Amino acid sequence: MLELHDAPLAPLTTFRLGGPATRLVTATTDAEVIAAVREADAEGTPLLVIGGGSNLVIGDKGFAGTALRIATSGFDLAGTTLELAAGEVWTDAVARTVEAGLAGVECLAGIPGSAGATPIQNVGAYGQEVSATISEVIAYDRRTGETVTLGNEECAFSYRHSRFKADPERHVVLRVRFALEDADGLSAPLRYAETARALGVEPGDRVPLEQARETVLKLRAGKGMVLDAEDHDTWSAGSFFTNPILTDADFAVFRARVRERLGEDAVPPAYPAGEGRTKTSAAWLIDKAGFTKGYGSGPARISTKHTLALTNRGEATTEDLLALAREVVAGVREAFGVTLVNEPVMVGAGL
């Protein structure tokens, strides 16, 4: 294991923000990961697990403890079963599944970060979520000191959530197994209207895998959601806020606030989210509350390509970013009575 002290963490995040860690350990095998976790737990040292750093906001003071960077590797494909080491780069793994002619994650192309983070957040985009294809998660259980295998149902997946996110101190993901589909080189049925429109097909249709992947990459790039060191719109965590899910009663109140503010003909986005619940669009809320693309005058601003991404324009601090986020949350709440919730994990920081 590589070990550094007073180590900068900002370069390990896509925001490029945050102070140093007291100690940074880089683990390249599952055994090294487990050893580092056990050592920290035995000593009572705070532990921060870092994968690709694409869903992480670290405070300016940094992290007083051990930061464990998981850099394990492993892409094992047997038929339609794929096992990925937690440290595998997710977007590269997606590309390899497409090359292998297997469907199920092709619309998750271009999402930054590591494979081990995908079940934690139940990563999803363009009509797909990893929960639809994850069969098992292999993790180190810090409570029992054992390596465990958790089936899909045991992971308690929901929208951008899982048991790993609900209890972040318990499990460290080591490997993820996926059950993919051999559809003769075709994608899974397209579930997202924007993707289908871009491909000139109907929702529910299948298209060649590479065509689906390339289309998603183009759509993401157009919104600044594909990492590019030269483009400050990608110095972000992607979507900073989750789409609100409201009860029927809350949605009725929200809809009335929309008509009051925007006129009787205004109709907010609405998507079924289970019995008695409706999901609406955080991006729409932000835009209609007056926070348009490029909003801000300081070193942290809303992306010029997508209202849901808060960005570091190059010289920002974490506090600059949080100040902008708080302003957006307060403005949306005042305009529509809906409180936005941050999607990235906060370490030594908060709204």
Side-chain angles (χ1 to χ4, degrees), residues 186-208:
L186 296 179
S187 69
L190 298 172
R191 304 298 184 195
Y192 201 68
E194 183 183 14
T195 313
R197 283 196 303 270
L199 286 160
V201 299
E202 295 296 320
D205 287 349
R206 295 176 184 260
V207 298

Side-chain angles (χ1 to χ4, degrees), residues 4 8 49 55 58 62 69-70 79 84 89 94 97 101 162 180 188 194 208 227 229 243 265 271 283 322 329 340:
L4 299 172
V49 178
N55 199 47
I58 298 174
R69 178 173 171 261
I70 297 182
L84 293 177
V89 176
V94 172
T97 67
S162 69
L180 303 176
E194 183 183 14
L227 293 180
N243 290 320
D265 295 332
Y271 311 96
L322 296 176
V329 170
L340 295 176

